Amino acid sequence: MSNSEGARLPPEERRFQILDVAAEHFARHGYESASMSRIAADAGITRALVYHYFPNKETLLDAVLRREGQTLLEATAPQGGTSVSDALGRALKAYFSHFASSAGDLRDLYAPTAVSPSVVWEIAASNHEVQVERLIAATGQKDSPSTRLAFSAWLAFVETAARGAAQSGGVDTDEVLRLCLTVFEASTGLDPAALDAEVTTTHPNQEQI
């Protein structure tokens, strides 16, 4: 028994440890080449213990992707006391940073393929819905099919831009940010600066988003 197993981590801590190691392996080697044995070895535990928490490799990948999705939502969550334009900029920067730090099959969360397609689509759709709700709340727009369509289209562009920037490696983050904000205004008809002024004029003493 390894020292790591001998420490007898609480079940939740052990599960998180396995997910951390597995995320690195999936990102580095891809789903097909990742090995449960090597994941166990790097975690300092037996393969049997990995299978105790995750019955197979697909279940392990599913758990990694679900955690990845939750981490992304937390990273882009709204913060009080900022303007609409500042909130958009902060969320975009957090998204770009998170996306750039992901690699290999972890990016299947944003571009579903044959690896765990049902789970990937479920996570992506759920996260997308949360982001649309956040945009509606942040901009004060009426919740309508056309509003949701406009925000959804913009989010799709942001995902494509983030993927392209990460893959090319030659595009400055600030340049991508400016491009996304320009497309935001074009696709939604909303000017973040005008929204900031509207909130300040209508509710001068009210804390902004």
mmCIF file of all heavy atoms in Angstrom, residues 123-153:
data_model
loop_
_atom_site.group_PDB
_atom_site.id
_atom_site.type_symbol
_atom_site.label_atom_id
_atom_site.label_comp_id
_atom_site.label_asym_id
_atom_site.label_seq_id
_atom_site.Cartn_x
_atom_site.Cartn_y
_atom_site.Cartn_z
ATOM 1 N N ILE A 123 -23.693 19.117 -20.242
ATOM 2 C CA ILE A 123 -22.955 20.140 -19.490
ATOM 3 C C ILE A 123 -22.919 21.448 -20.269
ATOM 4 O O ILE A 123 -23.150 22.526 -19.717
ATOM 5 C CB ILE A 123 -21.520 19.662 -19.202
ATOM 6 C CG1 ILE A 123 -21.538 18.392 -18.355
ATOM 7 C CG2 ILE A 123 -20.735 20.752 -18.476
ATOM 8 C CD1 ILE A 123 -20.178 17.728 -18.225
ATOM 9 N N ALA A 124 -22.584 21.358 -21.552
ATOM 10 C CA ALA A 124 -22.483 22.556 -22.376
ATOM 11 C C ALA A 124 -23.817 23.292 -22.445
ATOM 12 O O ALA A 124 -23.868 24.517 -22.321
ATOM 13 C CB ALA A 124 -22.005 22.188 -23.776
ATOM 14 N N ALA A 125 -24.908 22.553 -22.625
ATOM 15 C CA ALA A 125 -26.225 23.170 -22.712
ATOM 16 C C ALA A 125 -26.623 23.817 -21.392
ATOM 17 O O ALA A 125 -27.175 24.924 -21.355
ATOM 18 C CB ALA A 125 -27.268 22.124 -23.118
ATOM 19 N N SER A 126 -26.339 23.140 -20.294
ATOM 20 C CA SER A 126 -26.668 23.664 -18.976
ATOM 21 C C SER A 126 -25.882 24.945 -18.687
ATOM 22 O O SER A 126 -26.442 25.945 -18.223
ATOM 23 C CB SER A 126 -26.361 22.617 -17.908
ATOM 24 O OG SER A 126 -26.591 23.129 -16.608
ATOM 25 N N ASN A 127 -24.583 24.922 -18.980
ATOM 26 C CA ASN A 127 -23.756 26.107 -18.756
ATOM 27 C C ASN A 127 -24.192 27.262 -19.652
ATOM 28 O O ASN A 127 -24.216 28.421 -19.230
ATOM 29 C CB ASN A 127 -22.284 25.774 -19.017
ATOM 30 C CG ASN A 127 -21.664 24.993 -17.868
ATOM 31 O OD1 ASN A 127 -22.379 24.412 -17.072
ATOM 32 N ND2 ASN A 127 -20.350 24.979 -17.793
ATOM 33 N N HIS A 128 -24.523 26.929 -20.882
ATOM 34 C CA HIS A 128 -24.970 27.943 -21.837
ATOM 35 C C HIS A 128 -26.230 28.633 -21.312
ATOM 36 O O HIS A 128 -26.347 29.862 -21.380
ATOM 37 C CB HIS A 128 -25.253 27.266 -23.185
ATOM 38 C CG HIS A 128 -25.395 28.222 -24.320
ATOM 39 N ND1 HIS A 128 -24.334 28.656 -25.095
ATOM 40 C CD2 HIS A 128 -26.487 28.836 -24.821
ATOM 41 C CE1 HIS A 128 -24.773 29.482 -26.026
ATOM 42 N NE2 HIS A 128 -26.071 29.605 -25.880
ATOM 43 N N GLU A 129 -27.150 27.855 -20.779
ATOM 44 C CA GLU A 129 -28.398 28.415 -20.253
ATOM 45 C C GLU A 129 -28.121 29.351 -19.083
ATOM 46 O O GLU A 129 -28.727 30.424 -18.972
ATOM 47 C CB GLU A 129 -29.327 27.278 -19.805
ATOM 48 C CG GLU A 129 -30.683 27.742 -19.278
ATOM 49 C CD GLU A 129 -31.558 28.376 -20.356
ATOM 50 O OE1 GLU A 129 -31.290 28.152 -21.553
ATOM 51 O OE2 GLU A 129 -32.507 29.094 -19.990
ATOM 52 N N VAL A 130 -27.212 28.958 -18.205
ATOM 53 C CA VAL A 130 -26.863 29.808 -17.068
ATOM 54 C C VAL A 130 -26.273 31.137 -17.551
ATOM 55 O O VAL A 130 -26.614 32.207 -17.035
ATOM 56 C CB VAL A 130 -25.851 29.095 -16.141
ATOM 57 C CG1 VAL A 130 -25.300 30.066 -15.090
ATOM 58 C CG2 VAL A 130 -26.507 27.909 -15.458
ATOM 59 N N GLN A 131 -25.411 31.070 -18.551
ATOM 60 C CA GLN A 131 -24.786 32.293 -19.060
ATOM 61 C C GLN A 131 -25.802 33.215 -19.722
ATOM 62 O O GLN A 131 -25.719 34.448 -19.585
ATOM 63 C CB GLN A 131 -23.669 31.946 -20.058
ATOM 64 C CG GLN A 131 -22.533 31.112 -19.502
ATOM 65 C CD GLN A 131 -21.687 31.829 -18.457
ATOM 66 O OE1 GLN A 131 -22.011 32.934 -18.016
ATOM 67 N NE2 GLN A 131 -20.586 31.210 -18.054
ATOM 68 N N VAL A 132 -26.776 32.637 -20.417
ATOM 69 C CA VAL A 132 -27.833 33.464 -21.023
ATOM 70 C C VAL A 132 -28.637 34.159 -19.928
ATOM 71 O O VAL A 132 -28.938 35.364 -20.028
ATOM 72 C CB VAL A 132 -28.762 32.603 -21.907
ATOM 73 C CG1 VAL A 132 -30.018 33.389 -22.300
ATOM 74 C CG2 VAL A 132 -28.028 32.151 -23.160
ATOM 75 N N GLU A 133 -28.977 33.428 -18.866
ATOM 76 C CA GLU A 133 -29.720 34.021 -17.746
ATOM 77 C C GLU A 133 -28.917 35.163 -17.117
ATOM 78 O O GLU A 133 -29.477 36.210 -16.758
ATOM 79 C CB GLU A 133 -30.005 32.950 -16.685
ATOM 80 C CG GLU A 133 -30.917 31.814 -17.128
ATOM 81 C CD GLU A 133 -32.378 32.239 -17.200
ATOM 82 O OE1 GLU A 133 -32.698 33.350 -16.725
ATOM 83 O OE2 GLU A 133 -33.195 31.455 -17.734
ATOM 84 N N ARG A 134 -27.622 34.962 -16.992
ATOM 85 C CA ARG A 134 -26.771 36.005 -16.418
ATOM 86 C C ARG A 134 -26.768 37.254 -17.302
ATOM 87 O O ARG A 134 -26.805 38.387 -16.793
ATOM 88 C CB ARG A 134 -25.343 35.480 -16.253
ATOM 89 C CG ARG A 134 -25.170 34.472 -15.131
ATOM 90 C CD ARG A 134 -23.758 33.911 -15.140
ATOM 91 N NE ARG A 134 -23.516 33.025 -13.998
ATOM 92 C CZ ARG A 134 -22.378 32.357 -13.797
ATOM 93 N NH1 ARG A 134 -21.393 32.481 -14.676
ATOM 94 N NH2 ARG A 134 -22.240 31.576 -12.742
ATOM 95 N N LEU A 135 -26.712 37.068 -18.608
ATOM 96 C CA LEU A 135 -26.694 38.200 -19.522
ATOM 97 C C LEU A 135 -28.006 38.975 -19.478
ATOM 98 O O LEU A 135 -28.013 40.205 -19.515
ATOM 99 C CB LEU A 135 -26.410 37.714 -20.950
ATOM 100 C CG LEU A 135 -24.969 37.304 -21.238
ATOM 101 C CD1 LEU A 135 -24.880 36.545 -22.557
ATOM 102 C CD2 LEU A 135 -24.051 38.517 -21.263
ATOM 103 N N ILE A 136 -29.107 38.260 -19.391
ATOM 104 C CA ILE A 136 -30.414 38.916 -19.299
ATOM 105 C C ILE A 136 -30.493 39.758 -18.032
ATOM 106 O O ILE A 136 -30.923 40.913 -18.045
ATOM 107 C CB ILE A 136 -31.546 37.877 -19.337
ATOM 108 C CG1 ILE A 136 -31.644 37.230 -20.725
ATOM 109 C CG2 ILE A 136 -32.886 38.518 -18.968
ATOM 110 C CD1 ILE A 136 -32.633 36.084 -20.813
ATOM 111 N N ALA A 137 -30.044 39.185 -16.930
ATOM 112 C CA ALA A 137 -30.081 39.904 -15.656
ATOM 113 C C ALA A 137 -29.128 41.100 -15.664
ATOM 114 O O ALA A 137 -29.467 42.188 -15.195
ATOM 115 C CB ALA A 137 -29.719 38.955 -14.517
ATOM 116 N N ALA A 138 -27.937 40.909 -16.224
ATOM 117 C CA ALA A 138 -26.927 41.969 -16.208
ATOM 118 C C ALA A 138 -27.328 43.164 -17.064
ATOM 119 O O ALA A 138 -27.077 44.311 -16.703
ATOM 120 C CB ALA A 138 -25.588 41.416 -16.688
ATOM 121 N N THR A 139 -27.962 42.897 -18.207
ATOM 122 C CA THR A 139 -28.312 43.974 -19.134
ATOM 123 C C THR A 139 -29.705 44.525 -18.904
ATOM 124 O O THR A 139 -30.075 45.547 -19.482
ATOM 125 C CB THR A 139 -28.222 43.479 -20.587
ATOM 126 O OG1 THR A 139 -29.115 42.358 -20.768
ATOM 127 C CG2 THR A 139 -26.803 43.035 -20.922
ATOM 128 N N GLY A 140 -30.499 43.856 -18.067
ATOM 129 C CA GLY A 140 -31.849 44.325 -17.788
ATOM 130 C C GLY A 140 -32.801 44.181 -18.950
ATOM 131 O O GLY A 140 -33.818 44.883 -19.018
ATOM 132 N N GLN A 141 -32.509 43.260 -19.853
ATOM 133 C CA GLN A 141 -33.364 43.086 -21.030
ATOM 134 C C GLN A 141 -34.563 42.202 -20.713
ATOM 135 O O GLN A 141 -34.527 41.368 -19.806
ATOM 136 C CB GLN A 141 -32.558 42.464 -22.171
ATOM 137 C CG GLN A 141 -31.390 43.307 -22.627
ATOM 138 C CD GLN A 141 -31.801 44.707 -23.039
ATOM 139 O OE1 GLN A 141 -32.541 44.880 -24.009
ATOM 140 N NE2 GLN A 141 -31.333 45.705 -22.307
ATOM 141 N N LYS A 142 -35.605 42.379 -21.494
ATOM 142 C CA LYS A 142 -36.795 41.549 -21.354
ATOM 143 C C LYS A 142 -36.455 40.122 -21.781
ATOM 144 O O LYS A 142 -35.809 39.907 -22.802
ATOM 145 C CB LYS A 142 -37.927 42.107 -22.221
ATOM 146 C CG LYS A 142 -39.214 41.291 -22.127
ATOM 147 C CD LYS A 142 -40.287 41.897 -23.020
ATOM 148 C CE LYS A 142 -41.568 41.057 -22.948
ATOM 149 N NZ LYS A 142 -42.629 41.615 -23.844
ATOM 150 N N ASP A 143 -36.908 39.179 -20.985
ATOM 151 C CA ASP A 143 -36.660 37.769 -21.307
ATOM 152 C C ASP A 143 -37.628 37.337 -22.399
ATOM 153 O O ASP A 143 -38.813 37.108 -22.161
ATOM 154 C CB ASP A 143 -36.860 36.912 -20.050
ATOM 155 C CG ASP A 143 -36.420 35.466 -20.270
ATOM 156 O OD1 ASP A 143 -36.175 35.094 -21.425
ATOM 157 O OD2 ASP A 143 -36.344 34.712 -19.281
ATOM 158 N N SER A 144 -37.115 37.231 -23.601
ATOM 159 C CA SER A 144 -37.937 36.846 -24.755
ATOM 160 C C SER A 144 -37.136 35.902 -25.639
ATOM 161 O O SER A 144 -35.907 35.827 -25.529
ATOM 162 C CB SER A 144 -38.333 38.088 -25.557
ATOM 163 O OG SER A 144 -37.195 38.661 -26.174
ATOM 164 N N PRO A 145 -37.818 35.177 -26.531
ATOM 165 C CA PRO A 145 -37.100 34.282 -27.441
ATOM 166 C C PRO A 145 -36.038 34.998 -28.265
ATOM 167 O O PRO A 145 -34.945 34.463 -28.485
ATOM 168 C CB PRO A 145 -38.217 33.719 -28.331
ATOM 169 C CG PRO A 145 -39.431 33.755 -27.453
ATOM 170 C CD PRO A 145 -39.291 35.023 -26.657
ATOM 171 N N SER A 146 -36.342 36.209 -28.725
ATOM 172 C CA SER A 146 -35.377 36.935 -29.551
ATOM 173 C C SER A 146 -34.158 37.365 -28.725
ATOM 174 O O SER A 146 -33.020 37.332 -29.224
ATOM 175 C CB SER A 146 -36.039 38.157 -30.193
ATOM 176 O OG SER A 146 -36.553 39.035 -29.207
ATOM 177 N N THR A 147 -34.397 37.751 -27.473
ATOM 178 C CA THR A 147 -33.283 38.136 -26.602
ATOM 179 C C THR A 147 -32.382 36.937 -26.343
ATOM 180 O O THR A 147 -31.150 37.030 -26.416
ATOM 181 C CB THR A 147 -33.809 38.682 -25.263
ATOM 182 O OG1 THR A 147 -34.580 39.855 -25.501
ATOM 183 C CG2 THR A 147 -32.652 39.035 -24.327
ATOM 184 N N ARG A 148 -32.996 35.810 -26.042
ATOM 185 C CA ARG A 148 -32.218 34.599 -25.784
ATOM 186 C C ARG A 148 -31.442 34.160 -27.035
ATOM 187 O O ARG A 148 -30.304 33.696 -26.935
ATOM 188 C CB ARG A 148 -33.132 33.468 -25.303
ATOM 189 C CG ARG A 148 -33.616 33.673 -23.877
ATOM 190 C CD ARG A 148 -34.520 32.557 -23.393
ATOM 191 N NE ARG A 148 -34.811 32.738 -21.974
ATOM 192 C CZ ARG A 148 -34.072 32.261 -20.987
ATOM 193 N NH1 ARG A 148 -33.010 31.522 -21.255
ATOM 194 N NH2 ARG A 148 -34.377 32.492 -19.723
ATOM 195 N N LEU A 149 -32.054 34.304 -28.181
ATOM 196 C CA LEU A 149 -31.392 33.935 -29.428
ATOM 197 C C LEU A 149 -30.160 34.804 -29.655
ATOM 198 O O LEU A 149 -29.090 34.310 -30.032
ATOM 199 C CB LEU A 149 -32.359 34.068 -30.602
ATOM 200 C CG LEU A 149 -31.777 33.775 -31.999
ATOM 201 C CD1 LEU A 149 -31.276 32.342 -32.080
ATOM 202 C CD2 LEU A 149 -32.840 34.022 -33.069
ATOM 203 N N ALA A 150 -30.310 36.109 -29.423
ATOM 204 C CA ALA A 150 -29.194 37.031 -29.635
ATOM 205 C C ALA A 150 -28.042 36.719 -28.687
ATOM 206 O O ALA A 150 -26.869 36.666 -29.104
ATOM 207 C CB ALA A 150 -29.662 38.473 -29.436
ATOM 208 N N PHE A 151 -28.353 36.492 -27.421
ATOM 209 C CA PHE A 151 -27.304 36.186 -26.454
ATOM 210 C C PHE A 151 -26.664 34.824 -26.739
ATOM 211 O O PHE A 151 -25.451 34.648 -26.580
ATOM 212 C CB PHE A 151 -27.860 36.217 -25.031
ATOM 213 C CG PHE A 151 -28.114 37.611 -24.504
ATOM 214 C CD1 PHE A 151 -29.192 37.862 -23.669
ATOM 215 C CD2 PHE A 151 -27.276 38.653 -24.833
ATOM 216 C CE1 PHE A 151 -29.422 39.138 -23.171
ATOM 217 C CE2 PHE A 151 -27.496 39.941 -24.338
ATOM 218 C CZ PHE A 151 -28.572 40.179 -23.515
ATOM 219 N N SER A 152 -27.481 33.871 -27.147
ATOM 220 C CA SER A 152 -26.955 32.540 -27.468
ATOM 221 C C SER A 152 -26.009 32.600 -28.652
ATOM 222 O O SER A 152 -24.954 31.941 -28.666
ATOM 223 C CB SER A 152 -28.102 31.570 -27.775
ATOM 224 O OG SER A 152 -28.882 31.315 -26.618
ATOM 225 N N ALA A 153 -26.381 33.389 -29.662
ATOM 226 C CA ALA A 153 -25.527 33.529 -30.837
ATOM 227 C C ALA A 153 -24.192 34.167 -30.449
ATOM 228 O O ALA A 153 -23.123 33.758 -30.931
ATOM 229 C CB ALA A 153 -26.228 34.370 -31.903
#
